[in-house]
Amino acid sequence: MEPIFALDIGTRMVMGLVMIKNEDQTYEILASAQTEHRQRAMYDGQVHDVDEVARAVDKVKTHLEKKIDTKLKQVAVAAAGRALRTEVAVVEQKELLPVRWEREKVLALEIEAVHQALRQLQSSANEELQSYHCVGYNTIARWNEGEEIANLVGQRGRVAKVSVIATFLPRTVVDGLVAVLGRVGLEMTSLTLEPIAAGQAAIPPNMRRLNLALVDVGAGTADIALTRSGSFFAYGMVPMAGDEVTEEICTQYLLDFKVGEKVKRDLQKKKQLSFTDFLGARVVVGQSDILDIIKPVVVKLAENISNEILRLNNGVPHAIILIGGGSLTPLLSELLSETLGIPQNRVGIQVRDRLAGISGEKTLKGPETITPIGIGIAALEGNGLQYYTVSVNGTSVPIFALQLATVAEALLAAGIQPRSFLGKPGAALTFELNGEMQVIRGTLGSPAQLFVNGKPSKLDQSLNVRDEIIFTPGESGKDAQICFKDVLPLYDTKWILWNGQSEKYVPQIFVDDHLVCETDQILDGYKVAYLNNDDLDNLLKQKKCYSNRKETLEIKVSGELRRFELDRQVWVNNCLAAGNRPIQDGDSIETRLRELTVGDLKLKPEPMIFHINGEVVEYPIQEIIITSQGQPVSESEPLRDGMELRVNGYKQKPILSELLPYVKFPDEVRAGETLTLTVNGQPAEFTTVLHPGDRLKANWKKLIIDRTAEK
């Protein structure tokens, strides 16, 4: 196997190793080199001064090239573990009608979910949308029509949904590393994460069954990785480490940072330390005095690391393994043991001498060598994130892949939106026609044009280093557009007589009761009423003349108001139409109200009532006489609205003699009796005219003659 160049760019130090994997599956360090930054160019694993970091990297690279007598062009590096971010996102695609989900559509949907995860990350991290590299994703669930399914490809439905878990690294972290490497002519071929790399070297696979906490204490951060059941299951980070201890010494004794760093390292070796402060004064101080000064800071560091371990592990692990230059901080292991409540012998510092299967460069001994060795192992085993550089429409795009990179992932990394992968179909037009839903589809969109190295490609095609991709976005289809005449049936123009007037009878189109023209455009959501020119019902609807409509007729009969509901009747060609019927060219149609005549009223006059000798007597009606405005009318006379009628049963009032047949007289009349007649108490004669309600008396009485008057 070819040697690899492993580079650990730390906050305080840059260390490089050239390693190889032997046939017996062991690893050999062919060469090593390290240097410190001249000034603070790295903070918390992030490059802040590209030129200064590049200077240190170039120094290490040059030294290694002299040792192995080979030019180094490719390198494996590590990013801070705290930088890795994961997001779960769910996206859904709805179609108006069922479609078959082909692989291209499913892949585009998955990439859209990755974009959604990126938007979620941007929202939660308050970062720019393109501030993260997607280093890989996995689809964790798929649904078709609401039912979870193992594979969407080939399924048919209207609604598809996918859930993905996507992994991201900040672009600033990756771009900073790439910029540094580019300054010294190195190409990144593999990227791993610092806690993953450190764990591969510090904890053998057979020990990962135990619940262990690996703590990589550097200058700016303390990265944490936890093992259980054979694998690493959680990662964390504490944003403080060895630099805080150094700064406390510098503050107390007014020292330059480099001098303070040397004092901190000498604490492990000397009982008494001497140094010169920033003002030139010579200072001599005992080890115990400095330990008293730094103890509060180390206590805080130990507490923060312990709290993060307890949070991630949900309990105290079996043991703590310390690596990194900061792990040599005085008092740290003792305080971790005390804080976590575990025996002192369960907190230890891992060094190169205890790593099995690592040979070469015996001078590398300290805990700071563990992470660069792990970076080398990860690259040799192919466990790092593979790094590709491809071209998308002429722009160089870095690709990280947890699995083999595809064209779709390259387009995603180039910032091309998934919606442009497949041209969307034009929007459909939906409307109601006489109560039935109608759908007019838009035109289909055209898919994106993809070429890799000049040859047609697909989204799922795998990529190789320096492949050139030409991408032309798919074009969306046109939205549906249509006129009324395009969806309505053909018709023949008809001429008819409507209530005596010649008219053209053609279909009519209404939208929300408003008449529209057949050449007008149909808009989405229209409710269309179409009235053809084929039958009587549609004609009456056009004329808004409905057979069930009634009109009210009001007349007065002898002063009493009467109302009648009159039906409207339709006559076709002078025949009463009963129900619907076809309408032909030349037909005559009339609408008439059903007529009522005087005879339909069946009017009867009231009889005259008289009182004769105390009994009620009805004088029979002689004849029926109906008049309007003083003029007689016949029973065939049509009724008109507002007409006033009077009905009478007598041509004239009766005279007294006409009622005598209704008087009950005695069977015999005695001699000398005379008939006496009165009306309402007044003497009357046979010819006296009577009025209804008059009171009559008719009796036979004996006449008494006054003889005195005769004398």
Side-chain angles (χ1 to χ4, degrees):
M1 181 177 287
E2 289 293 323
I4 61 96
F5 175 22
L7 187 65
D8 181 14
I9 305 175
T11 303
R12 178 68 41 229
M13 179 183 295
V14 176
M15 180 177 290
L17 307 176
V18 177
M19 297 178 61
I20 193 170
K21 186 176 181 181
N22 298 315
E23 292 183 359
D24 60 358
Q25 304 303 306
T26 61
Y27 306 99
E28 182 180 354
I29 303 173
L30 301 180
S32 68
Q34 64 184 45
T35 187
E36 290 189 8
H37 299 293
R38 293 186 304 180
Q39 59 193 39
R40 303 186 73 179
M42 297 275 294
Y43 293 88
D44 298 343
Q46 170 66 51
V47 176
H48 282 257
D49 188 332
V50 172
D51 288 336
E52 182 60 28
V53 176
R55 185 206 65 80
V57 171
D58 188 53
K59 186 176 180 180
V60 170
K61 169 177 171 285
T62 301
H63 190 58
L64 289 172
E65 287 175 339
K66 288 181 180 179
K67 281 189 172 184
I68 63 174
D69 194 24
T70 303
K71 282 289 185 182
L72 298 174
K73 296 181 180 180
Q74 297 180 328
V75 65
V77 295
R82 77 192 193 289
L84 192 67
R85 301 291 297 273
T86 59
E87 287 285 336
V88 175
V90 179
V91 297
E92 182 178 86
Q93 182 173 335
K94 293 183 178 180
E95 298 289 346
L96 186 63
L97 297 172
V99 298
R100 192 167 301 283
W101 304 110
E102 301 297 345
R103 173 152 182 77
E104 291 286 303
K105 288 186 177 181
V106 174
L107 186 56
L109 189 60
E110 291 175 355
I111 298 300
E112 177 63 33
V114 175
H115 258 271
Q116 175 61 29
L118 189 58
R119 287 190 288 269
Q120 292 172 192
L121 181 60
Q122 172 263 336
S123 176
S124 63
N126 195 25
E127 299 284 349
E128 295 296 328
L129 184 61
Q130 295 298 330
S131 61
Y132 284 89
H133 277 293
C134 176
V135 297
Y137 77 92
N138 285 312
T139 305
I140 55 180
R142 306 164 182 84
W143 294 267
N144 184 43
E145 296 290 348
E147 295 291 332
E148 190 166 356
I149 195 166
N151 193 345
L152 267 173
V153 176
Q155 301 292 335
R156 185 176 176 83
R158 289 191 315 107
V159 183
K161 186 166 65 172
V162 298
S163 173
V164 304
I165 180 168
T167 310
F168 302 94
L169 276 175
R171 282 182 178 269
T172 53
V173 172
V174 178
D175 292 348
L177 292 174
V178 171
V180 167
L181 299 177
R183 293 287 176 95
V184 297
L186 288 172
E187 179 185 358
M188 184 195 303
T189 57
S190 175
L191 177 71
T192 188
L193 301 173
E194 289 178 356
I196 295 176
Q200 284 196 333
I203 304 178
N206 60 345
M207 289 297 294
R208 296 172 195 169
R209 292 173 298 169
L210 301 176
N211 185 201
L212 304 177
L214 175 68
V215 184
D216 183 358
V217 186
T221 63
D223 290 335
I224 300 169
L226 293 164
T227 67
R228 183 192 294 151
S229 301
S231 65
F232 288 92
F233 71 92
Y235 300 96
M237 184 274 298
V238 172
M240 68 177 298
D243 279 357
E244 276 78 1
V245 177
T246 304
E247 287 169 356
E248 187 66 22
I249 296 173
C250 293
T251 301
Q252 182 67 30
Y253 295 106
L254 196 64
L255 302 178
D256 177 81
F257 192 87
K258 282 192 173 182
V259 176
E261 186 71 15
K262 184 177 184 305
V263 171
K264 183 181 71 172
R265 294 175 182 175
D266 289 345
L267 277 174
Q268 300 282 33
K269 309 171 187 175
K270 301 178 180 179
K271 295 295 182 180
Q272 192 170 3
L273 297 95
S274 63
F275 46 86
T276 302
D277 68 14
F278 185 70
L279 298 178
R282 188 70 178 170
V283 179
V284 178
V285 64
Q287 180 192 60
S288 60
D289 293 333
I290 299 178
L291 290 177
D292 289 340
I293 291 170
I294 67 173
K295 185 173 182 179
V297 179
V298 182
V299 167
K300 183 179 179 182
L301 175 60
E303 288 177 345
N304 288 344
I305 292 174
S306 298
N307 290 337
E308 183 68 4
I309 290 173
L310 293 173
R311 184 186 70 83
L312 294 170
N313 197 59
N314 290 322
V316 178
H318 296 147
I320 309 295
I321 300 172
L322 300 177
I323 62 171
S327 65
L328 299 174
T329 300
L331 306 177
L332 180 59
S333 60
E334 295 89 337
L335 290 172
L336 280 173
S337 170
E338 180 182 328
T339 305
L340 287 170
I342 60 177
Q344 175 65 49
N345 62 0
R346 292 293 181 95
V347 180
I349 298 175
Q350 181 68 289
V351 293
R352 186 283 179 78
D353 292 343
R354 288 200 292 270
L355 298 183
I358 306 293
S359 62
E361 288 291 300
K362 294 299 183 180
T363 57
L364 296 176
K365 294 180 179 297
E368 69 277 5
T369 64
I370 304 299
T371 297
I373 291 174
I375 295 172
I377 293 174
L380 289 169
E381 296 296 338
N383 294 331
L385 304 175
Q386 297 304 307
Y387 179 90
Y388 298 89
T389 300
V390 298
S391 170
V392 177
N393 292 345
T395 301
S396 180
V397 176
I399 299 294
F400 290 94
L402 295 177
Q403 53 191 11
L404 194 61
T406 63
V407 172
E409 289 174 298
L411 298 179
L412 179 65
I416 295 173
Q417 297 295 324
R419 64 178 66 94
S420 64
F421 291 2
L422 297 170
K424 294 179 64 176
L429 182 66
T430 59
F431 61 95
E432 284 186 17
L433 178 59
N434 289 344
E436 292 186 5
M437 183 64 69
Q438 306 289 322
V439 178
I440 307 297
R441 296 184 183 181
T443 61
L444 295 175
S446 61
Q449 299 295 313
L450 283 172
F451 294 89
V452 175
N453 302 327
K455 296 181 180 180
S457 172
K458 292 186 177 182
L459 288 171
D460 59 350
Q461 178 175 324
S462 299
L463 291 175
N464 296 312
V465 179
R466 296 186 180 86
D467 278 348
E468 293 186 358
I469 303 169
I470 299 299
F471 173 78
T472 303
E475 293 185 1
S476 297
K478 294 181 179 179
D479 294 345
Q481 288 186 338
I482 201 165
C483 297
F484 288 102
K485 67 178 181 180
D486 297 326
V487 299
L488 299 177
L490 298 175
Y491 65 90
D492 294 325
T493 300
K494 299 175 183 177
W495 287 91
I496 61 172
L497 287 175
W498 174 259
N499 289 332
Q501 299 293 324
S502 178
E503 290 186 4
K504 183 189 290 186
Y505 182 30
V506 295
Q508 286 186 346
I509 311 164
F510 295 89
V511 175
D512 297 331
D513 293 329
H514 296 290
L515 186 64
V516 296
C517 180
E518 64 179 8
T519 57
D520 290 345
Q521 291 282 334
I522 301 177
L523 300 184
D524 194 60
Y526 265 2
K527 296 190 179 204
V528 182
Y530 173 69
L531 301 177
N532 207 344
N533 65 338
D534 52 354
D535 57 31
L536 180 61
D537 280 353
N538 283 337
L539 175 62
L540 296 179
K541 288 176 182 177
Q542 286 191 19
K543 297 296 185 180
K544 296 186 175 2
C545 177
Y546 305 107
S547 59
N548 60 353
R549 180 179 295 175
K550 299 179 183 296
E551 294 190 16
T552 301
L553 175 69
E554 291 186 351
I555 64 171
K556 285 185 179 181
V557 178
S558 299
E560 179 186 352
L561 182 64
R562 294 192 185 183
R563 290 187 178 87
F564 301 93
E565 296 290 337
L566 300 183
D567 297 327
R568 181 167 292 278
Q569 297 176 327
V570 180
W571 296 69
V572 178
N573 300 329
N574 291 320
C575 295
L576 181 64
N580 194 20
R581 55 165 291 171
I583 295 295
Q584 306 296 335
D585 187 57
D587 280 350
S588 172
I589 299 93
E590 293 181 87
T591 58
R592 308 172 189 171
L593 284 176
R594 182 175 63 85
E595 286 188 346
L596 282 180
T597 63
V598 173
D600 292 331
L601 300 179
K602 301 188 182 305
L603 298 177
K604 290 184 179 181
E606 295 292 331
M608 291 185 181
I609 304 297
F610 298 97
H611 300 272
I612 302 177
N613 293 338
E615 294 184 4
V616 177
V617 175
E618 286 188 3
Y619 181 59
I621 294 172
Q622 304 301 305
E623 62 179 311
I624 298 175
I625 303 170
I626 302 173
T627 60
S628 175
Q629 296 181 343
Q631 299 296 321
V633 294
S634 67
E635 290 190 343
S636 61
E637 180 80 16
L639 295 178
R640 299 181 303 278
D641 193 52
M643 179 181 283
E644 293 188 10
L645 299 176
R646 292 197 172 274
V647 57
N648 201 337
Y650 313 92
K651 284 187 176 180
Q652 59 186 13
K653 293 183 176 59
I655 58 175
L656 193 150
S657 61
E658 292 175 330
L659 266 71
L660 289 179
Y662 301 98
V663 179
K664 293 182 179 180
F665 291 108
D667 294 337
E668 293 183 0
V669 179
R670 290 177 292 190
E673 289 182 334
T674 303
L675 180 62
T676 60
L677 302 170
T678 62
V679 175
N680 300 327
Q682 300 297 322
E685 298 181 354
F686 288 111
T687 58
T688 298
V689 177
L690 300 178
H691 300 278
D694 282 350
R695 297 180 179 276
L696 286 70
K697 287 188 178 181
N699 296 306
W700 290 96
K701 292 184 179 180
K702 188 174 182 180
L703 183 62
I704 300 174
I705 301 174
D706 189 356
R707 297 296 183 180
T708 306
E710 292 179 354
K711 292 180 179 182

